[in-house]
Each structure stands twice: as structure tokens, then as C-alpha cells.
Amino acid sequence: MATYDLVVIGTGPGGYVCAVRASQLGMKVAVVEKNASLGGTCLNVGCMPSKALLHASEMFEEAAHSFAKMGVSISAPKLDLPAMMNFKQQGIDGNVKGVEFLMKKNKIDVLKGSGKILGTGKVEVSADGKSQVIETKNIVIATGSDIARLKGIEIDEKRIVSSTGALSLEKAPGRLLVIGAGVIGLELGSVWRRLGSEVMVVEFLDRILPGMDGEVARQFQRILEKQGFAFKLGSKVTGVESNGKALLAKIEPAAGGAAETIEADVVLVCIGRVPYTDGLGLKEAGVALDNRGRVQIDAHFATTLKGVYAIGDVVAGPMLAHKAEDEGVAVAEILAGQAGHVNYDVIPGVVYTTPEVSSVGKTEEELKQAGVAYTVGKFPFTANGRSKVNQTTDGFVKILADAKTDRVLGVHIVGREAGEMIHEACVLMEFGGSAEDLARTCHAHPTRSEAVKEAALAVGKRAIHM
Ligand code: FAD
Ligand code: NAI
């Protein structure tokens, strides 16, 4: 007799949400976690700490640069970085406690230790030199991802840091060199720029934010440059040395050519993340990986070993917390005999900078490549009343709709609170809605979301305020 119906390995947003949903569906569930605290990358060294620092550093910048023009007169704000780090830690602790509470509330056993799959229905949990074997009907692998490293560049988390070190620097570096113009580089680059660093971003490709809509990325790059970011696109860092005082980064054009040396005080390596399967014993157990080291699954999250499933960053798809959560729910429902499902066409992506960037569905580049005829509706925040009165008019909303059916295929927003605004597009797209549906939906005035409605009107060439 199996002790559990389900054992989930990993308690990130994929794992703990899967455990909660399975418990709601009547299963007896345990989670296995090797980290000292629950919550995975997201709560401990990812989404949550980065958003806490983004919020605090934004307030610092606002106090320094925006208060005066609104008639709020204060003396120049001073940075108390230890207090800001404490603010971040309180946020982490609060969320970790929240997950502990959810485990208790749902009667989920928390097994502290490293999980290893011995075969169908058997998980070994090891901690402090001791191990026990747990029997279970089903296993879900939710072990997430780890930072991708650059050959020859040793991360010490002090001067050459990954996102983890960049979330805990003891002072704002004079010069921060960021390798990789992806989400982490732009978010954490923003944090340290606001706190006083000169930030240069070196990116291998000839654009920032690969995968996002090209026009959005170009506009956003211009906005970041106005804020003080420097970009070196089409370039790669081939080595970082120290001369005692400073770090010397050797940078070459991606296509080859003469190298140059750039000095920095801290180098942040953020060139992506890789699936994490160390110590799980997958090969011996017969769980296959794909050619990129991700756990191979079928359309129902099943691996190549009976009774073993996988979700989140450790499998294919965007490495996003909400994608992991939705997969966690779907696999729990499948195990309960329901029709668990994730619609991969409607997974929003948000960059939590100022302004924010958000996106759902297809980009123009993807539609062109697929040969889909589409119409574009665009509306700038300069023409949105609320944005005007708040004097935060950077950015625009862009809606891509099928030229024949008017069905919305993609929505891309650069602007304050873009990460909140994208969800009306998500709901619309889940219901297969058209630009006309959105254009005829009453939006409260004055809100930034009116720009979404106006962009939908613009698809039919009838925006009112433009
Ligand atoms: P994880 O959260 O990585 O959790 C995996 C867990 O498994 C860990 O706790 C690990 O200790 C445990 N584990 C691994 N192996 C074992 C084992 N053998 N035994 C026991 N336990 C094990 N995503 C967003 O959607 N929004 C954001 O704003 C965002 N910001 C981010 C910022 C940063 C700096 C980083 C690094 C990532 C960010 N992400 C963000 C990505 C997000 O953190 C991940 O997509 C998400 O955490 C993946 O969830 P997961 O459950 O698959 O894995
Ligand atoms: P990323 O994949 O977003 O960006 C990495 C960037 O580095 C790319 O632009 C890539 O072209 C570039 N690059 C790769 N090799 C390079 C090299 N040798 N030299 C220079 N540039 C190079 O990865 P990132 O920023 O590390 O984030 C990892 C993951 O974490 C992402 O997949 C993202 O989904 C997730 N994340 C999500 C956040 C959010 O949703 N707001 C925030 C932070 C992370």
C-alpha cells in the first residue's frame, strides 16, 4: 500500500500549487524540499525579492526625481541599503510563511531533504546523512531551474554575481556590467541604476528582450537609454579578470572581430536559466531528458517512467512562475481523473521595470513568419488622459488581430502598470474574443486601461482620442 497518493519534489510555485490542488481533490500528499525554506526560486531568490527591490528602488527614484514637480517638497532622499534589504527579506519571509501555512491548512506533509526517484512509486528523501524511502502512487518532479553559467567566468556572488548575488549586494556598485539583456538584466539593472550605479548591458543578439515583440523592444530600449542604461548589442563577454581594484571584462562583437576591455565593479551574469535535475537519479530510474536537459513529458505531463510527471521550469516552455503554477494545477487534476489543461497560447509575460512591459499571444514577427494576415491597433499613453495628468506617458498599447476574423492574436504593452493591464487581454483571448469585443467593452475613466480599449478601437481605425 502506498503511503501517499502523490509526492511532489520541489516546493516552488509549480510544486506547492500542485500539492495544494491535489489535496483539494482528496489526495494524500507530501512535498519534498531540500532548501531550508519552502517556495523555490520564485519566493527565495527570484520573483519576490526582485519585485521588493524594484518597488523600493522605484520609490527612492520617485522621491528624488518626481515628488518636487508634484509639489511635494522633501530633502534629497538617502539610501539606507541594509534597511532596503530588510524590507526585501520581510517580503520573502511573509511569503514563505504563507506557503508553510498552505501546507498545514491542506494537510500536506513537508519532508525536508533531497528527493531521489528510485523507480515508479518510490522516492528516497535524504537529509543530514540519513535517508528514508517514501511510497507513493504518483510522483511530480517540480525541481525548477538554476542559473546558466558562462564558460570561463567564475561566479563568486560578490563581484561576479548571478541574480542571487545581485539581489543581496552590500552596496550599489559604481559600475555594473550586465551580461544579457533579458528579463533579469533589465529588472536588476533597473534596481541598481536607480540606487546609483552606472549600468551597461552587453547582449549577444542585436536586440534586447528576445522573444518579445520587436517594436516593443526597440521603444523600450530607447526609454531605458533615456533613464541612463547603456547597451552594447551584438556583443559577447569572453572573459572577466580582476586587476585588484576593478573587474576587466573582455568584450567582442558577436560576429567576431577586435576585442575591447570594459571596466566594472560588479558583473552580473544573466544569460538564461537551465533545468535543474541534479541528484534526482533520473537516468537510473528511466526518466528521459530532452536534448536541452529538460525532463521530457507528453501532453499530460507524464515522463517516460510510469507514475512520474514533471512541471514548471524543469520542463519545456517559458520559465515563469505562473506557467509552473498552472501546470501544477493541471497535473493534479489529471491525476484526479479530470481534464487538466494549460493553454500555452495565453501565457502573459511581464518585465517589472518602469515602465513595465507586458505581452500575451503572438508578436508581429511570429505572425509574419506564420504567414497570418493581421491588423494592428496602436495607442500611445501620451494620448491617455490619466497618464497625462500623472505625467507618466512613456509607452503604448499594441493589439494584433486576425485580418479576416478580427480575433485578437496578441497584445503588447509598454507602460506603467502594463503588468496589471495585460489580464483583460488574457481573458479576452481565452474566450476567443475579437478587437471589436474589446472596443465595445466599457472601460472606467480615467484609467490607463482606456488605452487598451483605444488600441482595440484603433484596430478598426476609429480610436477616439488620437
Ligand atoms: P523553482 O521555483 O525553481 O523551485 C524548485 C524547488 O525544487 C526549489 O525549492 C529547490 O530547492 C527544489 N529542489 C530541487 N531539486 C530537489 C530535490 N532533488 N529534492 C528536493 N527539492 C529539490 N517568474 C515570473 O513569473 N515572474 C517573475 O517576476 C519572475 N522573476 C524572477 C526573478 C529572478 C531573479 C529569477 C531567478 C527568476 C524569476 N522568475 C519569475 C522565474 C520563476 O522564479 C520560475 O519560473 C519559477 O520559480 C519556477 O517554478 P518551479 O516550481 O518550476 O521551480
Ligand atoms: P533571458 O533568457 O530572459 O535573457 C538572457 C539574455 O542573455 C538573452 O537576451 C540572450 O540573448 C542573452 N545572452 C545569452 N548568452 C549571452 C552571452 N554569452 N553574452 C551576452 N548575452 C547573452 O534570461 P534571464 O534574464 O537570465 O532570466 C532567466 C529566466 O528567468 C527567464 O527565462 C525568465 O523567464 C525568468 N525571469 C522572469 C522574470 C519575469 O517574469 N519578470 C524576471 C526574471 C527572470
Side-chain angles (χ1 to χ4, degrees), residues 10 13-14 33-34 40-42 46-47 51 115 142-144 313 319-322:
E33 177 55 63
K34 71 184 174 86
T41 304
C42 174
C47 325
K51 266 78 256 181
T143 50
D313 278 13
M319 286 184 168
L320 295 172
H322 42 284

Side-chain angles (χ1 to χ4, degrees), residues 75-120:
S75 49
K78 283 199 200 93
L79 176 62
D80 180 350
L81 192 55
M84 198 178 276
M85 289 296 168
N86 191 35
F87 172 78
K88 175 199 77 175
Q89 194 57 45
Q90 283 172 0
I92 295 174
D93 294 344
N95 279 295
V96 167
K97 281 205 183 81
V99 175
E100 286 167 2
F101 164 77
L102 289 175
M103 297 299 101
K104 274 203 193 96
K105 182 184 167 213
N106 290 284
K107 301 189 173 47
I108 295 162
D109 288 343
V110 175
L111 310 174
K112 285 285 176 77
S114 196
K116 181 176 175 184
I117 298 172
L118 301 180
T120 296

Side-chain angles (χ1 to χ4, degrees), residues 9-15 32-35 37-48 50-51 113-116 142-145 163-164 167 184 187-188 273 276 278-280 311-314 318-322 324 350 352:
I9 308 178
T11 62
V32 184
E33 177 55 63
K34 71 184 174 86
N35 193 31
S37 53
L38 305 183
T41 304
C42 174
L43 268 61
N44 294 282
V45 289
C47 325
M48 294 310 181
S50 58
K51 266 78 256 181
S114 196
K116 181 176 175 184
T143 50
S145 61
S163 53
T164 302
L167 288 166
I184 292 180
E187 287 189 356
L188 294 184
R273 292 180 63 83
Y276 184 79
D278 289 7
L280 277 172
I311 56 166
D313 278 13
V314 80
M319 286 184 168
L320 295 172
H322 42 284
V350 178
Y352 296 87

Side-chain angles (χ1 to χ4, degrees), residues 329-349:
V329 168
V331 77
E333 291 178 348
I334 289 169
L335 291 177
Q338 299 184 356
H341 173 72
V342 176
N343 179 5
Y344 291 97
D345 289 334
V346 184
I347 294 186

Side-chain angles (χ1 to χ4, degrees), residues 428-445:
L428 181 90
M429 288 170 70
E430 280 290 357
F431 284 85
S434 64
E436 184 70 18
D437 291 327
L438 194 48
R440 290 194 180 274
T441 302
C442 187
H443 282 61
H445 176 76

